Amino acid sequence: MDRNAIKILIVEDNPGDVLLISQALSEIESAEFHLTHVEGLDDALKYARESNYDVALLDLDLPDSNGLETLRQFRDKAPQIPVVVLTTTADAVSGLDAVKLGAADYVVKGFYDGRLITRSIRYSIERNRILTKLQEFETLLLDASSHELRTPLTIIQENVSLVLDGLTGPLTEAQTECLSSAIGNCRRLSTLLNDLADMSKLNSNSLEIRPQPTDLAAVLQQCRDGFRTACQTKCLDLRMEIVAPLPAVGCDPDQIRKVLANLVGNAVKFTPSGGCIQIHARSDSSSVSIEIADDGKGISAHDQRSIFNAFTQIDRVEGPGARGTGLGLAITKRIVELHGGAIVVQSDIGFGSRFTFTLPIHTIPGVQAA
């Protein structure tokens, strides 16, 4: 095979469509293609792990997967491979939906013109190359920002704290109020820099996960204790229920503490005074499920579709103070997925929100359920 040949993974269970695609591409003299054909999603993911493909031609309706879920799973497990979706004339709208979901392009079945397919393939490959470069640049920018700003911020915070503590002389009430506000904003900026650093590591796949046998009940208790004062200040009822003893989970306890801090912190932020926040944990034979529920304003169905995207901020309550970095939930989702789990949100306007994430019990070799 020519080293410059374009490697294509065709995921299609209809042999007729595969033959037509092969014939159409064989007519293109300006490029050489190396085709690998599989009929199901499981085989596609196996081949994607074992070899570097330039592009995948993906049918959405397969024997072991159906609809846009096929694309979601392929993109989750093989994000490095650009996808051209194969759709029918009657269901061309699925092609547009697929593009919105991350596909590079789509081709309508039955209209296999070699030039059009080649254009779509080359466009998808180039688009993926540009997006990869942009992601690398974004990672460098995030990393540089978090590091270059951290030192002067620390110096500002330490000096303001010295003055606020009265070490440089007595303060008036107005001066104390101004300096307290400055310290609060320094803490907010520090949180943003920490989030930027985490996002940079996640984008560059360098965030270290150190799994170990972990008592999740103890981690949950620490989280509740950590938010006790904030809840008392805002007159919130913070409850926790653990259904039966939880098994030991192979996870990174520090990263899971970060997940809980983001979710409970959001619940505290967006729940009005006098409201209730509930932490609920249970397990089955394969995983532990943790829910953080509040009775705040809730999140619209439209906003739920983008809530886990980076830099997305959802205004669940009116008024000042209910703002964040827009990175917390994106980081949370990535950390949960790195542990082999998943996170979902359920919410209705006026009835609060419930975030649920799962962690597999057996996530590292040698770690068994307690």
Side-chain angles (χ1 to χ4, degrees), residues 80-97:
Q80 77 284 3
I81 303 176
V83 176
V84 176
V85 164
L86 304 176
T87 186
T88 63
T89 306
D91 196 29
V93 66
S94 293
L96 294 174
D97 289 338

Side-chain angles (χ1 to χ4, degrees), residues 216 220 246-247 249-252 256 259-260 263 280-292 308 332-346 354-363:
L216 279 181
L220 289 168
L246 298 179
V249 173
C251 68
D252 185 327
I256 297 305
V259 167
L260 291 169
L263 295 177
H280 183 89
R282 67 174 64 201
S283 64
D284 55 29
S285 60
S286 61
S287 65
V288 171
S289 174
I290 299 173
E291 296 178 357
I292 288 84
F308 292 108
T332 292
K333 182 175 185 288
R334 297 278 290 278
I335 290 174
V336 170
E337 290 174 346
L338 284 173
H339 281 82
I343 182 169
V344 296
V345 59
Q346 296 173 295
R354 175 181 285 105
F355 287 83
T356 306
F357 71 94
T358 57
L359 295 172
I361 293 174
H362 307 294
T363 57

Side-chain angles (χ1 to χ4, degrees), residues 143-154:
D143 192 51
S145 299
S146 62
H147 283 84
E148 293 300 322
L149 293 175
R150 196 176 299 279
T151 298
L153 175 63
T154 300

Side-chain angles (χ1 to χ4, degrees), residues 8 10 20-29 31 33 35 57 112-114 117-118 121:
I8 302 173
I10 303 177
L20 290 174
I21 292 171
S22 301
Q23 290 175 342
L25 292 177
S26 68
E27 297 171 359
I28 304 300
E29 298 179 355
F33 303 97
L35 308 181
L57 303 183
Y112 295 125
D113 180 281
I117 298 176
T118 301
I121 288 171

Side-chain angles (χ1 to χ4, degrees), residues 13-311:
D13 62 331
N14 186 332
D17 281 308
V18 177
L19 179 60
L20 290 174
I21 292 171
S22 301
Q23 290 175 342
L25 292 177
S26 68
E27 297 171 359
I28 304 300
E29 298 179 355
S30 60
E32 180 179 344
F33 303 97
H34 177 73
L35 308 181
T36 301
H37 169 228
V38 295
E39 295 186 353
L41 181 61
D42 285 344
D43 286 338
L45 295 176
K46 176 183 176 182
Y47 275 81
R49 287 191 298 267
E50 295 176 352
S51 183
N52 295 320
Y53 289 94
D54 296 304
V55 67
L57 303 183
L58 179 68
D59 182 18
L60 294 180
D61 295 319
L62 300 170
D64 54 354
S65 184
N66 184 262
L68 291 175
E69 184 60 27
T70 304
L71 176 61
R72 288 192 185 94
Q73 291 191 47
F74 190 89
R75 292 283 296 157
D76 285 345
K77 301 295 175 56
Q80 77 284 3
I81 303 176
V83 176
V84 176
V85 164
L86 304 176
T87 186
T88 63
T89 306
D91 196 29
V93 66
S94 293
L96 294 174
D97 289 338
V99 170
K100 294 177 183 177
L101 198 62
D105 203 354
Y106 71 95
V107 171
V108 177
K109 291 186 177 185
F111 297 89
Y112 295 125
D113 180 281
R115 291 170 299 176
L116 292 178
I117 298 176
T118 301
R119 181 210 62 80
S120 183
I121 288 171
R122 284 178 166 160
Y123 162 76
S124 301
I125 293 171
E126 182 63 15
R127 176 180 180 272
N128 189 62
R129 185 188 69 80
I130 293 173
L131 289 176
T132 300
K133 290 293 183 183
L134 287 174
Q135 188 177 61
E136 291 173 356
F137 175 75
E138 180 185 79
T139 298
L140 289 173
L141 182 61
L142 292 176
D143 192 51
S145 299
S146 62
H147 283 84
E148 293 300 322
L149 293 175
R150 196 176 299 279
T151 298
L153 175 63
T154 300
I155 294 172
I156 293 170
Q157 191 167 350
E158 288 178 351
N159 281 280
V160 173
S161 294
L162 288 174
V163 178
L164 186 59
D165 291 341
L167 299 179
T168 60
L171 299 172
T172 66
E173 184 177 342
Q175 289 170 334
T176 298
E177 185 177 342
C178 288
L179 291 173
S180 297
S181 176
I183 283 292
N185 281 282
C186 282
R187 293 193 182 112
R188 286 184 60 204
L189 185 53
S190 180
T191 299
L192 172 59
L193 293 178
N194 289 334
D195 285 348
L196 287 172
D198 284 342
M199 206 67 205
S200 173
K201 292 175 183 176
L202 286 166
N203 285 343
S204 60
N205 297 316
S206 61
L207 183 70
E208 255 190 285
I209 300 293
R210 297 187 176 93
Q212 62 187 64
T214 301
D215 180 358
L216 279 181
V219 173
L220 289 168
Q221 183 65 54
Q222 292 166 3
C223 176
R224 185 179 70 168
D225 292 345
F227 280 96
R228 193 185 303 276
T229 300
C231 289
Q232 289 174 347
T233 301
K234 201 173 176 181
C235 297
L236 299 176
D237 183 12
L238 179 59
R239 304 175 185 176
M240 185 169 75
E241 180 186 17
I242 297 177
V243 180
L246 298 179
V249 173
C251 68
D252 185 327
D254 289 335
Q255 297 297 337
I256 297 305
R257 288 188 187 97
K258 190 175 297 182
V259 167
L260 291 169
N262 279 332
L263 295 177
V264 178
N266 276 349
V268 172
K269 183 188 303 181
F270 293 111
T271 302
S273 179
C276 179
I277 298 169
Q278 300 183 65
I279 303 172
H280 183 89
R282 67 174 64 201
S283 64
D284 55 29
S285 60
S286 61
S287 65
V288 171
S289 174
I290 299 173
E291 296 178 357
I292 288 84
D294 64 60
D295 55 5
K297 183 179 179 181
I299 310 167
S300 70
H302 176 268
D303 287 335
Q304 288 177 47
R305 290 195 288 269
S306 61
I307 197 169
F308 292 108
N309 296 339
F311 300 106

